[in-house]
Amino acid sequence: MVPTEELRTKLRRLLAESIPAGGTDGDTRFSNADIDDLLTGADNVYLAASEGWTEKAGQLQDGLGPLAETQAGDERHTKVNLTTAVNYCFDMAKVYGAKGKSAAGYGTRLMGLEAPAAKAGDPQ
């Protein structure tokens, strides 16, 4: 698929990776080149999103790190459990993968019919 600004924006929205106001693509997990690679390698934006969510699952370890909770005085910060976050990413990948396959026409054939094989002596 050929990347366009409209597709880039939609893919960033599907990946929950919008560029913040006044920010750049460096403020997200996916650079513009990464977004273009996802779009170029997919048949539609939903399949690109599925691949992006799968990649995002792999990136989470760096962002979350091993620390689960910190407290300083009355202030407490708790990070999302890595397993929960990764499972969420994989769930999103499945959702967009199914939507992408449906949009591309994969698996929409309900049944196929073929003529029965002719037997010896059958009229043709």
Side-chain angles (χ1 to χ4, degrees):
M1 179 169 43
V2 177
T4 64
E5 196 57 39
E6 181 181 346
L7 285 173
R8 288 182 195 104
T9 300
K10 183 168 185 171
L11 180 55
R12 283 192 177 282
R13 184 174 44 81
L14 295 175
L15 292 172
E17 292 290 337
S18 297
I19 297 174
T24 68
D25 63 327
D27 298 321
T28 69
R29 284 188 173 88
F30 297 95
S31 69
N32 288 334
D34 294 334
I35 293 293
D36 285 352
D37 284 345
L38 288 169
L39 289 168
T40 301
D43 290 337
N44 59 55
V45 71
Y46 299 110
L47 293 175
S50 178
E51 181 64 26
W53 276 104
T54 301
E55 288 184 21
K56 196 171 183 174
Q59 297 169 355
L60 287 179
Q61 178 64 46
D62 293 335
L64 294 177
L67 186 62
E69 186 174 332
T70 61
Q71 183 172 352
D74 292 340
E75 190 172 324
R76 173 181 280 168
H77 298 277
T78 303
K79 292 187 178 182
V80 174
N81 177 291
L82 180 60
T83 302
T84 301
V86 168
N87 286 340
Y88 175 77
C89 288
F90 287 139
D91 287 345
M92 293 303 292
K94 287 178 191 174
V95 167
Y96 287 122
K99 190 168 186 170
K101 288 178 183 176
S102 175
Y106 298 123
T108 59
R109 185 176 168 190
L110 294 175
M111 74 168 106
L113 299 174
E114 292 183 23
K119 295 180 187 174
D122 282 350
Q124 293 185 355

